[in-house]
Amino acid sequence: MTYPDPTLAKHILIERSTTPAPVPPDALAYTHLVGERDGTVLHYSQWPDEGSAAAFARARPEARAFTLYRSSQISATTTPTGCAVLARAVFDSPDPDRQRAWMDALLSLETDDPMPGLLAAHFHLSEDGTEIINYAAWTSREAHRAVMEAPSTDDDPLAAEWERLYTWPGLIQAEAQRFHPL
């Protein structure tokens, strides 16, 4: 999946779609994935401009618009995505400043050691100020599972920072789900 200049592209996320739709000719990226937990279809797309994204969203009322906040391409290889993980944080009310502050706090936890199997991570802010999603591409489900199930130590220096993120004022939901490309 290629990611063009984020200042130009608009991102659309549709959850709980029942079937994949045909790829519109002006889409920059158009991906369908199936959820590991519940089998729902997730649609993720990129559009060259706001007008194209808006036209698509009008035809699909369940569409949610997001803006790319930051993107990290971990692997320079052309390894295909074997698993995508959608992590989300949902807040109790619209507040773009709080949304960005939480995102910046999360991104400050990045280390120089890439997670084995992580290909890319793309952080998006909902345009209504209530949600953050991280669309992360992994080599495989097993690679993601191994990282998530790795034992943590009691002296983890980031433990307090993670606790601060999960107890952020107004945060009502933080979850992640694995998806597989269709």
Side-chain angles (χ1 to χ4, degrees), residues 149-161:
E149 293 176 356
S152 62
T153 61
D154 290 336
D155 61 344
D156 180 358
L158 297 178
E161 291 302 310

Side-chain angles (χ1 to χ4, degrees), residues 6-12 44 50 64-70 99 103 122-128 131-133:
T7 61
L8 300 177
K10 286 294 178 184
H11 305 265
I12 300 289
Y44 176 83
E50 205 162 311
R64 301 246 358 251
F66 288 81
T67 300
L68 183 64
Y69 188 69
R70 184 163 162 193
Q99 186 187 41
M103 186 78 265
H122 309 285
F123 298 92
H124 303 74
L125 304 177
S126 67
E127 292 185 352
D128 67 2
E131 191 171 348
I132 295 168
I133 60 168

Side-chain angles (χ1 to χ4, degrees), residues 5-167:
D5 181 349
T7 61
L8 300 177
K10 286 294 178 184
H11 305 265
I12 300 289
L13 174 72
I14 297 176
E15 293 182 272
R16 295 171 183 80
S17 177
T18 55
T19 57
V23 179
D26 57 342
L28 297 172
Y30 203 79
T31 304
H32 290 95
L33 305 130
V34 64
E36 178 179 288
R37 203 173 27 213
D38 57 10
T40 59
V41 175
L42 172 74
H43 160 90
Y44 176 83
S45 61
Q46 290 183 350
W47 300 90
D49 54 54
E50 205 162 311
S52 297
F56 177 78
R58 278 192 301 275
R60 300 290 298 264
E62 70 276 24
R64 301 246 358 251
F66 288 81
T67 300
L68 183 64
Y69 188 69
R70 184 163 162 193
S71 188
S72 299
Q73 197 73 30
I74 311 303
S75 174
T77 67
T78 57
T79 304
T81 299
C83 173
V85 176
L86 183 76
R88 76 176 351 131
V90 180
F91 297 94
D92 61 3
S93 61
D95 186 343
D97 292 334
R98 175 180 56 190
Q99 186 187 41
R100 282 187 297 281
W102 191 91
M103 186 78 265
D104 291 340
L106 172 70
L107 292 170
S108 74
L109 301 180
E110 283 188 3
T111 66
D112 292 332
D113 300 325
M115 292 181 242
L118 179 62
L119 299 171
H122 309 285
F123 298 92
H124 303 74
L125 304 177
S126 67
E127 292 185 352
D128 67 2
T130 62
E131 191 171 348
I132 295 168
I133 60 168
N134 171 16
Y135 179 91
W138 289 79
T139 54
S140 67
R141 169 183 182 246
E142 293 74 25
H144 178 256
R145 179 174 272 166
V147 168
M148 294 297 107
E149 293 176 356
S152 62
T153 61
D154 290 336
D155 61 344
D156 180 358
L158 297 178
E161 291 302 310
W162 281 108
E163 180 65 22
R164 184 171 77 97
L165 284 169
Y166 287 116
T167 58

